[in-house]
Amino acid sequence: MRRAGDTAAPDRLVAARLSGPDVVRVGLAGLRSRRTRVLLSALGIAIGIATMVAVLGISSSGREDLLRRLDRLGTDLLTVQPGDTLFGERARLPRSASAMVARIGPVTSVAATGTVDASVRRTDRIPDEITGGIAVRAASAELPRTLRIGVRTGTWLNAGTGRYPGVVLGAEAARRLGVDRVGVQVWIGGRWFTVLGVLDSAELAPEIDRSALVGWDAAERYLGFDGHPTTIYERSADAAVEDVRAVLARTVNPENPEEVQVSRPSDALAARAAASGAFTGLLLGLGAVALLVGGVGVANTMVISVLERRREIGLRRSLGATRGQVRLQFLAESLLLSAFGGAAGAVLGAAVTVGFALYRGWPPVVPLWAPAGAVIATLAIGTAAGLYPATRAARLSPTAALATV
């Protein structure tokens, strides 16, 4: 009991605390009161996030497709071609170049083609100057196995058919000539050649796609081919590719190895996979600009919200809400607005990636860190966009806010 004359200490007023769920409910209530404006602001964030996720996803899908093609085609293929002589003339590979390359220990397969001075046309009625961009090449029997090319229809040249006027067309050559079946004849070098087969696309040797391929013996007999190969393809064990590459030029032409060019076709695909990163950076910059515009929209929405709700802010302050609680309310609204836009953008970006990848025949790949980065980006945008409006709302005095008409 309190004795007479004792003075009791006055009770101190303690502001009620808002729990996490309460903060979310208050923030959602503020957003529901202006749905159209919130939807438009969230759309700006969604477009920026969707752009960034889609750019990363499409780039990753394209790179994955290239890497899978490299795995399928192999990186152990080397090509040998003639270079230039000391006097600037075009050099020639020896006739025995393929046989010499085959003697290198780690080499597993060798094939060769030779350019033939002839043109191929669908009929003998077409003028000589119209070639359709199709080259005629002599080809050795090992070409499909070395390049890993399938035969779409018909058969490949063998020891028998390679001696007679028969031809196998590359994929693009067959399309340009309008040939889709075997048994038809085409006009090559002033005589008819029977189409024996049509090849699938040769990804590591696109020149084969645009070629009409005849047997080595038939090219010498009927088309005046001199027997010198112009391109040699060889495959070797993966671990020995660089060692083979170092000795190829001297093996092909021991007297003048400087007149021999050695290349690796798979390097082109690897370079494309690496170069795609440059375009990714550019497009990510565009996505960042779109995200920045969305953040400005969120900030604008929150500033206007503070101006429109000054009476509400004054009433809350009069009922005991602290400045920190008012600041937290508006910051929560900004974060929720940005989070909704970011989530929608991440889903939209992933959907665009999957749709585009399936359209192009690529494996759909969405890096796991892309959606995580989207969440972090939206939270950062929400914090930055809502910090000033929340601080401004917290600084309003109750009397001035309630006096606003």
Side-chain angles (χ1 to χ4, degrees):
M1 295 179 62
R2 193 169 54 183
R3 295 180 181 179
D6 292 345
T7 58
D11 295 335
R12 298 181 62 185
L13 295 177
V14 179
R17 294 183 178 180
L18 291 176
S19 63
D22 290 334
V23 173
V24 174
R25 280 194 292 270
V26 170
L28 290 175
L31 295 180
R32 283 196 296 265
S33 63
R34 51 193 194 287
R35 297 181 180 180
T36 301
R37 190 179 301 158
V38 165
L39 179 62
L40 293 177
S41 298
L43 182 61
I45 293 288
I47 291 175
I49 293 297
T51 301
M52 301 181 74
V53 173
V55 166
L56 292 171
I58 291 174
S59 177
S60 298
S61 299
R63 187 179 298 108
E64 180 66 20
D65 178 66
L66 281 174
L67 294 177
R68 291 189 182 185
R69 287 164 58 189
L70 279 174
D71 291 339
R72 183 177 69 253
L73 298 172
T75 58
D76 55 349
L77 178 68
L78 296 176
T79 63
V80 178
Q81 292 179 318
D84 295 328
T85 66
L86 183 61
F87 302 100
E89 299 176 351
R90 192 66 173 172
R92 292 202 303 177
L93 299 179
R95 294 170 65 98
S96 59
S98 296
M100 292 188 291
V101 171
R103 294 192 185 101
I104 302 175
V107 172
T108 57
S109 62
V110 180
T113 61
T115 302
V116 178
D117 186 14
S119 59
V120 54
R121 293 181 294 280
R122 188 64 180 84
T123 71
D124 57 347
R125 304 293 183 179
I126 300 175
D128 294 343
E129 59 271 13
I130 300 178
T131 64
I134 304 173
V136 179
R137 303 177 191 270
S140 61
E142 299 83 6
L143 188 67
R145 183 170 70 91
T146 303
L147 292 180
R148 297 176 183 170
I149 310 173
V151 180
R152 182 186 307 171
T153 182
T155 59
W156 175 247
L157 301 165
N158 54 41
T161 57
R163 298 166 54 191
Y164 299 101
V167 61
V168 175
L169 301 176
E172 181 62 19
R175 188 190 67 80
R176 294 181 184 181
L177 290 172
V179 176
D180 57 1
R181 59 187 177 88
V182 300
V184 300
Q185 292 187 317
V186 293
W187 188 255
I188 302 178
R191 66 176 303 135
W192 294 104
F193 277 67
T194 302
V195 176
L196 303 176
V198 177
L199 297 177
D200 289 327
S201 179
E203 294 187 77
L204 289 183
E207 67 275 6
I208 299 299
D209 290 343
R210 302 183 297 271
S211 299
L213 306 165
V214 299
W216 208 270
D217 294 337
E220 293 181 329
R221 179 180 302 177
Y222 301 111
L223 302 175
F225 177 51
D226 61 7
H228 289 270
T230 51
T231 304
I232 297 174
Y233 307 91
E234 71 81 27
R235 286 191 186 271
S236 54
D238 288 334
V241 170
E242 293 303 325
D243 294 334
V244 172
R245 188 175 192 173
V247 301
L248 264 179
R250 189 166 296 279
T251 301
V252 170
N253 193 344
E255 296 182 358
N256 300 294
E258 71 279 357
E259 296 180 358
V260 178
Q261 295 180 346
V262 180
S263 62
R264 193 175 189 177
S266 59
D267 288 345
L269 288 179
R272 285 174 55 191
S276 63
F279 293 100
T280 300
L282 174 62
L283 294 176
L284 279 179
L286 297 177
V289 172
L291 187 59
L292 178 62
V293 172
V296 172
V298 172
N300 180 62
T301 297
M302 297 310 302
V303 169
I304 295 177
S305 176
V306 171
L307 296 176
E308 291 178 343
R309 298 162 62 191
R310 281 179 292 183
R311 292 179 65 85
E312 174 191 335
I313 296 170
L315 181 60
R316 290 199 61 202
R317 291 295 309 280
S318 300
L319 294 176
T322 65
R323 290 185 175 183
Q325 291 173 343
V326 173
R327 185 185 303 112
L328 184 61
Q329 173 189 351
F330 281 88
L331 192 58
E333 290 183 19
S334 178
L335 287 172
L336 288 172
L337 175 57
S338 299
F340 291 150
V347 173
L348 179 60
V352 170
T353 298
V354 173
F356 186 82
L358 294 177
Y359 171 74
R360 295 294 301 271
W362 296 346
V365 177
V366 179
L368 295 179
W369 55 268
V375 173
I376 295 174
T378 52
L379 293 179
I381 289 292
T383 301
L387 195 57
Y388 170 72
T391 302
R392 180 173 179 173
R395 289 177 178 175
L396 288 176
S397 65
T399 54
L402 287 172
T404 302
V405 179

